[in-house]
């Protein structure tokens, strides 16, 4: 019997797990995927928004503002990267100028550092603003992060503090019982598991409505996946923009942004298409065309010939047009972190704090653990001086073996990613944790090397590594293969 | 494995025109060959046209009567610096026997070290060709 | 900082040839930096035969071809550091590399030969729509899995791109027991050698879809299906021509790009078409003392030409180290009508060799044409070519007497055969 079972190991679920792991509670974090952060957390704009945008009086406004003030300290504690690069909201017409003034007033009212800059002032900092840009709203507190790095770090810390991590667990039924819930989950190898928990947290992203429906006869909201498509542009010594460039928001949302990433790439997107299929993370020609066409309004000279990847993410958009963060009205003990679309990443620490301290805290006695283990960040090998690097390599030659030649990732860093708490078990898992395959060759060169290391270190075969998950025919009759 | 590697078989004995592209050089001449089937079921080439050099005619005759191929593959090797040893036929083998030869290659299992040209399978499938190593495979140094 | 006379970056066919040639010209202090665990480069995974017809008069497998050169490197006592990746190089030829044995090392090289080869264009560079599951590989990555690791990465396979690696992998996957459902080619003609079309596709009845491209990929963890569509003259998909294939694997053979991250960093001028360094007749780049050869310079279709280019770069490097070479080549060599590029891109008119060989590629297939050379705007030579294909590099050799006195430019172009007016210009 758990005290709390969290469904969904995205940014919300992992924040909640980590926050609950401070207390004397038996907590499980469950996800249908085989790793942390496989949904919207993996595919978003990676921005800590300052909080200037959401409508007054919404949960989005509240949690965005609170979250944006929490992140820097959280990242410092977790040892994850946080960079306050700032942002411009760029207006390009009379109507947009009017909206820009409203946003400025809103930012001022919320005590968000901000100012209006003329075109010529803005160009001094961002020379690649499009010709049509007339004025900008400068938001210097806007920051960039790597969302999945934070989610993984949170999961690590939760696991270090006795949270049970149940990956490859798909919830198939939730039954209300006298003292809580009976949750049925199907595991990756086809077994059924029955899990009992006093409370359940629904942080299931685009599936939050389906999870709710398992526990209640009537679901008062629906989650529509809103597909956002992005381009990733190759790392350059001098990125085209040094801060986030937003267009003036419209009814459709924040619009298409240009975002410098922590690792020197440029992210262009997202499109915004409500779709039916909660699984369809496919990119489309029209979605990407829209991104190209929209970004030209705010930024010029984008080197689209240097695109190394495009991807799509599904943001869980709620029918109530606001976050749903509450104890379910007709299912006591079920806590919702639902419809966490933009600015959900920014809001997540504040949502978690609210759910943990106020909602769960009002129902259960939160006794802090006497001993709390802090996460040790991975070796920052990139940041060492040449002499320090050589010292490391002398002790451990695997740090001299460069596996990923695009991003300069060593075998030592890959071994760490595999052997840490919540270690990588898949090619994607390694890529998420230390980036081999994120560069311009997209893994063409390093993927076989990473696969070999994974097979060796986790004692699986190549067949298991690549065919584990879908219904692919595993054996060829009459053929004997020996790859280890 | 039932992949067909023979061309469509002619069942009648009538003369046929067969079209093929010469692969001897980059010219890629479009060859046209008059053929007939003999009593024993093999194909006989009566004439070749479209070629711009004698090599084209030779190619067409060989390709239509008794096409041959070199076969390359890998065999399992223990103790080498890689888990597979690349191998090659020592001479071209009949095209329709490619999968039989592959079957033999898949069954083979050797131990390092191996020298280039070492015979891995003698007289493979009785085709008067050997399967030989196409590289030297040194022993893997034991890990420190 | 350690000083070295000649550092060769890359121990594949180009780098090994350069090292051998330089040693034979008397250069003693040579270091090859090779990222793999042995010399040989990409040839080590190219286990099919067909290598070395020009160099050795035999059709060797890739590993056999590589071994002949690795043996020479060893016999000549040329120093090789394996598992060594060069991380940085600057315009002063300062090189930083790392290896498990040596750690991070900074070298001061008097002369450098770039021989890093090329890489494959990934999916992202061509923007195929759809999901991003496992099961999408470049043909070269699949080749490595099959030939070096003995792992068959797919059971039901479709291949995009009819370049030679794609065709070779169609056969290879078939022989290992996979079913290859087809090969799609964006262009109306194949980019592979006709021999490979015959022996890799036709022999196994694998269909080739010309003027087609992949327009969708489906699958959650692993590819479950792909869709191809016919393309119009502008290479845009035509609605209504979609065909779906249930496959677990899509291999991409959609082009090779010279690996020039280091060259860019060193400030070497790159050519927009070859995507490799701009070089003079000595294969010297725009940074003095830095030479380039093989696929890092321009993508080759025959390893024999890579070896020849490596020899030339090695000899030039030796000249540079012993006697010096002229700098600042002044006369441009340009690609005219019908040609994609010409190499070298510049020559020194005052240091012409007895013969000068130019390499070039056509933009589209040509039949019965003349490959013509213009010197300062005047036609000086033309040779008849019954067939010219983008997949096959062309060479033309000029005598010193033919180009002496060139001032403005040399220009190569394709002419229709009827233009051949004066009989003395035809070969």
């Amino acid at each position: 019997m758990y005290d709390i079972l969290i469904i969904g190991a995205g940014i919300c679920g992992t924040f909640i797990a980590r926050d609950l792991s401070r207390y004397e509670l038996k907590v499980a974090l469950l996800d249908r995927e085989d790793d942390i952060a496989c949904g919207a957390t993996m595919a978003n704009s990676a921005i800590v928004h300052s909080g200037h945008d959401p409508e007054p009086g919404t949960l989005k406004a509240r949690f965005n503002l609170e979250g944006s003030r929490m992140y820097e300290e959280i990242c410092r504690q977790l040892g994850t990267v946080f960079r306050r690069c700032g942002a411009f909201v760029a207006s390009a017409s009379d109507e947009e100028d009017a909206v820009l003034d409203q946003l400025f007033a809103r930012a001022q009212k919320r005590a968000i550092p901000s100012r209006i800059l003329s075109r010529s002032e803005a160009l001094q900092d961002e020379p690649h603003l499009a010709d049509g840009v007339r004025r900008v709203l400068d938001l210097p507190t806007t920051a960039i992060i790597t969302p999945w790095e934070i989610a993984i770090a949170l999961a690590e810390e939760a696991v270090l503090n006795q949270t049970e991590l149940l990956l490859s667990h798909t919830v198939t039924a939730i039954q209300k019982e006298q003292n809580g819930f009976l949750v049925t989950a199907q595991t990756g190898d086809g077994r059924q598991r029955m899990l009992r928990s006093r409370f359940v947290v629904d942080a299931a992203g685009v599936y939050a409505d389906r999870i709710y429906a398992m526990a209640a006869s009537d679901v008062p909201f629906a989650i529509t996946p809103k597909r956002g498509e992005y381009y990733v542009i190759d790392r350059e010594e001098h990125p085209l923009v040094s801060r986030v460039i937003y267009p003036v928001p419209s009814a459709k949302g924040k619009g298409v942004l240009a975002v410098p990433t922590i690792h020197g790439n440029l992210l262009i997107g997202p499109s915004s298409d409500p779709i039916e299929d909660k699984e369809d993370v496919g990119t489309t020609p029209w979605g990407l065309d829209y991104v190209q066409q929209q970004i030209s309004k705010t930024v010029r000279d984008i080197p689209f010939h240097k695109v190394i990847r495009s991807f799509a993410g599904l943001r869980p958009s709620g029918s109530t047009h606001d976050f749903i963060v509450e104890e379910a009205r007709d299912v006591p003990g079920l806590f919702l972190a639902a419809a966490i679309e933009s600015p959900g990443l920014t809001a997540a620490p504040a949502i978690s704090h609210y759910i943990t301290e106020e909602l769960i805290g009002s129902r259960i006695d939160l006794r802090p653990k006497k001993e709390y283990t802090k996460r040790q960040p991975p070796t920052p090998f990139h940041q060492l001086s040449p002499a320090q690097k050589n010292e490391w390599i002398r002790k451990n030659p695997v740090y001299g073996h460069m596996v990923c030649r695009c991003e300069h990732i060593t075998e030592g860093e890959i071994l760490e990613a595999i052997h840490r708490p919540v270690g990588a078990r898949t090619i994607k898992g390694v890529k998420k944790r230390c980036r081999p395959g994120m560069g311009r060759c997209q893994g063409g060169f390093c993927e076989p090397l990473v696969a070999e290391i994974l097979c060796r270190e986790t004692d699986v075969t190549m067949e298991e590594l690549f065919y584990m998950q879908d219904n692919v025919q595993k054996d060829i009759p009459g053929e004997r293969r020996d790859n280890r | 494995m039932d992949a067909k590697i023979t061309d469509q078989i002619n069942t009648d004995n009538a003369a046929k025109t067969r079209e093929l592209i010469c692969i001897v050089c980059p010219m890629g001449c479009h060859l046209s060959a008059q053929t007939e089937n003999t009593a024993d079921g093999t194909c006989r080439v009566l004439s070749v046209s479209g070629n711009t050099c004698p090599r084209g005619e030779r190619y067409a005759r060989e390709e239509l009567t008794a096409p041959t191929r070199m076969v390359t593959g890998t065999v399992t090797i223990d103790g080498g610096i890689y888990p597979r040893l690349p191998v090659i036929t020592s001479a071209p083998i009949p095209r329709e026997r490619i999968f039989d030869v592959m079957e033999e290659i898949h069954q083979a299992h050797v131990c390092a070290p191996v020298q280039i040209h070492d015979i891995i399978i003698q007289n493979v499938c009785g085709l008067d060709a050997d399967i030989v190593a196409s590289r030297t495979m040194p022993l893997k140094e034991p890990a420190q | 900082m350690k000083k070295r006379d000649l550092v060769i970056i890359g121990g594949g066919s180009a780098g090994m040839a350069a090292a051998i040639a330089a040693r034979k010209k008397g250069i003693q202090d040579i270091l090859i930096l090779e990222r793999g665990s042995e010399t040989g480069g990409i040839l080590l995974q190219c286990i099919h035969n067909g290598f070395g017809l020009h160099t050795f008069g035999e059709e060797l497998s890739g590993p056999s071809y590589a071994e002949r050169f690795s043996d020479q490197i060893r016999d000549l006592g040329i120093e090789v550091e394996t598992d060594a990746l060069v991380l940085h190089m600057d315009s002063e030829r300062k090189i930083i590399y790392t290896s498990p044995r040596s750690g991070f090392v900074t070298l001061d090289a008097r002369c450098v030969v770039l021989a890093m080869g090329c890489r494959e264009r990934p999916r992202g560079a061509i923007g195929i729509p759809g999901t991003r599951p496992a099961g999408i590989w470049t043909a070269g990555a699949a080749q490595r899995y099959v030939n070096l690791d003995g792992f068959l990465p797919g059971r039901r396979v479709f291949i995009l791109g009819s370049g030679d690696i794609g065709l070779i992998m169609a056969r290879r996957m078939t022989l290992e027991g996979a079913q290859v459902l087809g090969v799609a080619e964006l262009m109306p003609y194949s980019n592979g050698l006709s021999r490979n079309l015959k022996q890799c596709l036709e022999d196994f009845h694998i269909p080739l879809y010309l003027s087609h491209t992949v327009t969708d990929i489906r699958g959650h963890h692993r590819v479950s299906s792909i869709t191809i569509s016919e393309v119009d003259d502008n290479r845009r998909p035509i609605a209504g021509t979609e065909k779906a294939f249930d496959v677990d694997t899509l291999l991409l053979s959609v082009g090779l790009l010279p690996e020039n991250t280091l060259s860019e960093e060193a400030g070497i001028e790159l050519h927009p078409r070859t995507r490799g360094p701009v070089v003079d007749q000595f294969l010297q780049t725009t940074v003095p003392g830095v030479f380039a050869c093989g696929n890092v310079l321009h993508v080759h279709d025959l390893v024999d030409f890579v070896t020849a280019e490596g020899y030339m770069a090695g000899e030039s490097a030796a000249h540079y180290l012993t006697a010096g070479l002229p700098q600042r080549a002044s006369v441009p060599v340009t690609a005219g009508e019908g040609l994609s590029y010409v190499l070298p891109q510049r020559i020194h008119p005052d240091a012409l060799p007895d013969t000068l060989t130019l390499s070039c590629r056509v933009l589209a297939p040509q039949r019965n044409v003349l490959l013509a050379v213009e010197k300062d705007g005047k036609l000086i030579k033309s040779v008849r070519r019954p067939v010219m294909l983008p997949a096959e590099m062309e060479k033309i050799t000029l005598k010193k007497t033919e180009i002496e006195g060139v001032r403005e430019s040399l220009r190569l172009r394709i002419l229709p055969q009827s233009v051949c007016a004066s009989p003395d210009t035809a070969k």
Side-chain angles (χ1 to χ4, degrees):
Chain A
M1 178 92 178
Y2 299 108
D3 292 310
I4 296 139
L5 176 71
I6 303 158
I7 301 172
I11 194 73
C12 281
T14 52
F15 258 116
I16 294 166
R18 198 281 306 250
D19 287 349
L20 287 171
S21 74
R22 295 200 179 100
Y23 302 109
E24 294 287 354
L25 295 169
K26 193 166 156 50
V27 181
L29 174 63
L30 173 153
D31 200 282
R32 69 180 183 133
E33 299 290 347
D34 59 5
D35 201 357
I36 306 298
C38 292
T41 307
M42 190 63 200
N44 60 73
S45 305
I47 301 170
V48 178
H49 302 286
S50 67
H52 65 283
D53 179 41
E55 291 294 323
T58 58
L59 290 179
K60 285 182 181 177
R62 172 188 165 181
F63 290 131
N64 182 346
L65 206 54
E66 287 178 21
S68 75
R69 289 173 182 152
M70 297 165 78
Y71 254 105
E72 190 167 18
E73 174 61 15
I74 289 168
C75 288
R76 199 185 58 75
Q77 291 200 5
L78 291 172
T80 58
V81 190
F82 174 93
R83 191 186 311 143
R84 219 180 267 291
C85 61
F88 282 171
V89 185
S91 83
S93 67
D94 285 344
E95 302 85 72
E96 290 190 352
D97 274 355
V99 181
L100 199 72
D101 288 330
Q102 287 170 22
L103 286 178
F104 178 49
R106 195 181 279 173
Q108 290 286 307
K109 200 169 165 198
R110 292 174 184 171
I112 297 166
S114 52
R115 57 185 179 150
I116 296 277
L117 298 179
S118 69
R119 173 178 172 83
S120 58
E121 287 170 316
L123 279 174
Q124 289 181 1
D125 287 335
E126 294 295 348
H128 293 280
L129 289 175
D131 293 342
V133 172
R134 299 152 58 129
R135 295 193 303 159
V136 304
L137 171 60
D138 178 22
L139 298 162
T141 53
T142 308
I144 51 175
I145 54 178
T146 307
W148 56 90
E149 181 197 19
I150 294 174
I152 291 167
L154 291 165
E156 278 184 7
E157 198 158 292
V159 165
L160 284 171
N161 293 288
Q162 292 83 47
T163 300
E164 252 184 76
L165 182 61
L166 306 172
L167 294 176
S168 302
H169 277 59
T170 306
V171 173
T172 54
I174 301 175
Q175 230 176 306
K176 187 88 179 89
E177 293 187 325
Q178 188 100 48
N179 298 322
F181 299 87
L182 174 64
V183 175
T184 313
Q186 173 119 22
T187 63
D189 51 7
R191 288 177 303 132
Q192 272 216 337
R193 285 191 67 179
M194 313 297 268
L195 307 161
R196 287 199 154 76
S197 183
R198 245 181 105 185
F199 301 109
V200 169
V201 176
D202 176 1
V206 288
Y207 283 96
D209 51 352
R210 302 254 179 100
I211 294 292
Y212 189 109
M214 292 178 194
S217 51
D218 191 30
V219 188
F221 63 92
I223 306 287
T224 306
K226 218 196 285 170
R227 184 166 58 199
E229 300 181 37
Y230 293 85
Y231 282 109
V232 183
I233 291 173
D234 200 0
R235 204 151 44 88
E236 286 184 287
E237 219 169 309
H238 303 287
L240 199 70
V241 296
S242 60
R243 50 168 64 64
V244 178
I245 310 293
Y246 299 99
V248 169
S250 68
K252 277 195 87 176
K254 282 195 179 70
V256 174
L257 326 177
V259 188
T261 74
I262 289 285
H263 298 100
N265 299 104
L266 186 61
L267 198 61
I268 308 290
S271 57
S272 182
D273 289 308
I275 58 169
E276 298 279 311
D277 184 351
K278 289 179 190 278
E279 299 286 331
D280 189 357
V281 288
T283 53
T284 62
W286 54 89
L288 291 171
D289 280 352
Y290 174 81
V291 168
Q292 285 210 20
Q293 170 223 321
Q294 289 294 308
I295 197 63
S296 65
K297 294 180 181 171
T298 52
V299 183
R300 62 179 171 85
D301 303 335
I302 293 194
F304 281 105
H305 63 283
K306 289 191 169 176
V307 166
I308 55 172
R309 161 168 92 242
S310 52
F311 65 88
L314 300 181
R315 288 159 283 169
S317 180
S319 50
T320 64
H321 305 294
D322 198 3
F323 296 156
I324 301 166
V325 182
E326 60 192 29
E327 184 167 353
R329 263 157 254 175
D330 47 351
V331 192
L334 175 66
F335 298 96
L336 302 173
I340 311 298
E341 60 179 328
S342 179
L345 175 66
T346 313
I351 292 171
S352 170
H353 185 262
Y354 175 74
I355 289 183
T356 307
E357 302 293 328
E358 297 194 29
L359 298 183
I360 297 177
S362 71
R363 301 287 305 276
I364 200 167
D365 186 19
L366 298 179
R367 281 178 298 120
K369 280 179 181 150
K370 285 203 182 69
E371 300 216 340
Y372 181 78
T373 311
K374 293 203 83 65
R375 163 195 197 247
Q376 288 300 313
T379 310
F381 192 73
H382 278 86
Q383 295 159 27
L384 301 182
S385 72
Q388 288 171 316
K389 282 180 180 166
N390 278 334
E391 193 54 37
W392 268 99
I393 295 168
R394 250 190 300 283
K395 276 188 266 178
N396 209 342
V398 286
Y399 284 90
H401 181 210
M402 205 55 81
V403 171
C404 166
R405 61 181 170 180
C406 301
E407 300 292 303
H408 294 175
I409 311 296
T410 68
E411 183 175 351
E413 290 161 285
I414 293 169
L415 290 175
E416 257 191 87
I418 295 169
H419 293 299
R420 289 181 67 79
V422 196
R425 288 296 172 270
T426 59
I427 303 271
K428 270 192 181 166
V430 173
K431 185 170 159 183
K432 260 186 198 178
R433 284 162 180 79
C434 62
R435 299 184 47 76
M438 290 275 196
R440 62 180 59 165
C441 91
Q442 291 288 291
F445 168 71
C446 64
E447 193 207 89
L449 305 178
V450 173
E452 274 169 36
I453 297 170
L454 263 173
C455 289
R456 183 184 77 211
E457 297 295 317
T458 63
D459 198 26
V460 298
T461 62
M462 289 268 194
E463 269 75 12
E464 287 166 325
L465 189 64
F466 286 107
Y467 288 102
M468 257 182 321
Q469 311 207 353
D470 281 18
N471 299 322
V472 181
Q473 184 195 346
K474 279 192 184 176
D475 298 303
I476 295 176
E479 200 197 1
R480 182 175 53 86
R481 296 218 138 255
D482 207 351
N483 64 55
R484 302 209 54 232
Chain B
M1 174 46 64
D2 60 0
K4 294 277 191 297
I5 54 167
T6 52
D7 288 322
Q8 274 72 32
I9 296 159
N10 293 323
T11 46
D12 56 84
N13 292 347
K16 287 233 153 144
T17 305
R18 304 276 297 269
E19 307 283 340
L20 66 169
I21 294 175
C22 182
I23 63 171
V24 174
C25 82
M27 290 266 297
C29 295
H30 289 259
L31 307 180
S32 179
Q34 290 296 318
T35 65
E36 66 172 16
N37 284 2
T38 56
D40 60 359
T42 58
C43 170
R44 182 192 298 161
V45 177
L46 304 172
S47 68
V48 177
S49 60
N51 55 310
T52 45
C53 77
R55 292 184 300 170
E57 175 164 356
R58 201 181 323 132
Y59 168 72
R61 289 187 179 277
E62 270 178 26
E63 189 62 22
L64 292 173
T65 53
T68 61
R69 299 286 184 264
M70 295 290 282
V71 175
T72 60
T74 65
V75 302
T76 307
I77 184 164
D78 288 338
I81 55 173
Y82 297 102
R84 308 294 291 193
L85 173 74
V87 294
I88 187 166
T89 48
S90 58
I93 56 111
R95 186 179 65 178
E96 71 270 16
R97 302 297 301 278
I98 291 177
F99 279 100
D100 299 332
V101 170
M102 284 309 294
E103 187 62 38
E104 293 267 311
I105 290 175
H106 284 145
Q107 300 298 325
H109 192 136
V110 296
C111 291
V114 169
Q115 290 299 311
I116 187 166
H117 307 315
D118 278 0
I119 294 175
I120 306 300
I121 304 169
Q122 208 146 27
N123 191 17
V124 63
C125 302
L127 294 172
D128 288 332
D130 302 325
I131 299 295
V132 300
S134 84
R135 66 163 287 167
T136 297
M137 185 69 77
L139 273 171
K140 186 181 184 145
E141 287 168 37
Q144 299 116 346
Chain C
M1 202 187 317
K2 284 184 215 163
K3 282 196 194 287
R4 302 296 299 235
D5 282 345
L6 174 57
V7 174
I8 295 170
I9 305 177
S13 35
M16 289 195 288
I20 291 164
R23 172 58 54 91
K24 287 183 173 166
K25 288 277 175 192
I27 305 302
Q28 289 308 307
D29 181 26
I30 303 174
L31 174 64
I32 298 178
L33 294 173
E34 165 54 42
R35 65 178 160 80
S37 57
E38 54 177 343
T39 51
I42 204 69
L43 286 174
L44 296 173
Q45 68 181 51
C46 300
I47 65 161
H48 54 280
N49 65 312
F51 299 92
L53 200 56
H54 291 62
T55 313
F56 299 114
E58 296 177 62
E59 295 204 27
L60 303 172
S61 77
S64 298
Y65 187 93
E67 194 162 324
R68 295 203 177 180
F69 290 88
S70 296
D71 287 350
Q72 284 188 64
I73 293 286
R74 194 192 51 229
D75 295 345
L76 290 168
I78 294 168
E79 189 183 344
V80 181
E81 175 141 8
T82 54
D83 295 312
L85 189 79
V86 176
L87 304 174
H88 302 290
M89 180 177 74
D90 69 14
S91 57
E92 304 292 300
R93 299 181 301 276
K94 194 176 91 175
I95 288 170
I96 300 174
Y97 76 91
T98 178
S99 83
R101 259 182 311 287
S102 309
F104 278 69
V105 179
T106 306
L107 287 180
D108 197 358
R110 285 180 61 205
C111 183
V112 174
V113 173
L114 305 175
M116 293 90 81
C118 58
R119 63 190 158 88
E120 298 175 278
R121 287 173 81 196
R123 174 187 179 184
I126 52 171
I128 307 171
T131 58
R132 307 183 54 76
I136 305 162
W137 284 286
T138 58
Q143 189 181 46
R144 189 199 148 95
Y145 279 125
V146 177
N147 292 347
L148 296 190
D149 298 321
F151 163 60
L152 185 63
R155 304 295 187 257
R156 289 174 61 82
V157 182
F158 199 90
I159 297 175
L160 175 60
S162 65
D164 287 309
I165 320 173
L167 301 180
I168 294 282
M169 283 313 291
R171 173 175 64 186
R172 190 77 190 102
M173 299 288 282
T174 305
L175 289 180
E176 290 300 322
Q179 198 184 348
V180 178
L181 281 83
V183 176
E185 169 58 53
L186 183 67
M187 306 301 285
Y189 52 87
S190 163
N191 282 312
L193 298 171
S194 46
R195 178 168 93 158
N196 286 335
L197 287 171
K198 172 77 186 130
Q199 298 195 351
C200 298
L201 298 189
E202 275 182 40
D203 274 5
F204 302 98
H205 304 294
I206 297 168
L208 173 63
Y209 298 91
L210 294 174
S211 297
H212 275 74
T213 193
V214 174
T215 47
D216 199 15
I217 299 173
R218 289 287 123 191
H220 185 55
H221 290 113
R222 178 86 196 203
V223 173
S224 58
S225 74
I226 62 124
T227 303
I228 65 169
S229 302
E230 205 177 324
V231 295
D232 62 20
D233 293 343
N234 297 316
R235 303 202 274 279
R236 273 194 298 263
I238 302 168
T241 62
E242 295 84 0
K243 289 187 215 37
F245 294 87
D246 288 336
V247 292
D248 58 39
T249 301
L250 174 66
L251 299 187
L252 304 176
S253 175
V254 291
L256 300 168
L257 301 171
E259 180 70 272
N260 275 298
T261 314
L262 288 173
S263 320
E264 280 177 328
E265 205 184 349
I268 289 169
E269 183 185 342
L270 299 183
H271 190 268
R273 290 311 285 256
T274 60
R275 306 256 214 149
V278 168
V279 291
D280 63 16
Q281 70 253 43
F282 306 107
L283 300 179
Q284 185 167 220
T285 68
T286 53
V287 170
V290 179
F291 299 80
C293 55
N295 284 345
V296 77
L297 180 56
H298 57 143
V299 174
H300 292 66
D301 32 276
L302 289 178
V303 71
D304 304 86
F305 291 166
V306 170
T307 298
E309 215 168 76
Y311 284 148
M312 191 175 163
E315 284 173 14
S316 296
H319 281 300
Y320 175 86
L321 287 167
T322 50
L325 283 177
Q327 301 302 323
R328 307 212 174 278
S330 55
V331 173
V333 184
T334 57
E337 290 81 356
L339 293 176
S340 147
Y341 70 82
V342 182
L343 212 83
Q345 293 93 345
R346 286 173 200 171
I347 54 171
H348 302 273
D350 306 326
L352 292 173
D354 292 339
T355 59
L356 175 68
T357 299
L358 304 178
S359 308
C360 65
R361 253 176 224 276
V362 286
L363 286 163
Q366 302 279 355
R367 279 194 176 268
N368 298 321
V369 289
L370 296 171
L371 176 56
V373 186
E374 292 170 355
K375 172 181 148 190
D376 296 336
K378 241 183 76 195
L379 185 72
I380 56 159
K381 182 170 191 164
S382 67
V383 290
R384 202 175 305 138
R385 287 281 189 270
V387 180
M388 291 182 88
L389 301 171
E392 286 168 15
M393 198 167 76
E394 292 282 342
K395 284 176 181 283
I396 182 168
T397 300
L398 306 173
K399 293 195 201 82
K400 186 176 182 177
T401 50
E402 289 172 317
I403 47 174
E404 250 170 351
V406 61
R407 286 279 153 259
E408 304 292 324
S409 71
L410 279 183
R411 186 161 171 270
L412 255 66
R413 61 185 297 198
I414 300 297
L415 290 172
Q417 196 144 338
S418 54
V419 174
C420 179
S422 53
D424 59 335
T425 57
K427 191 161 114 184

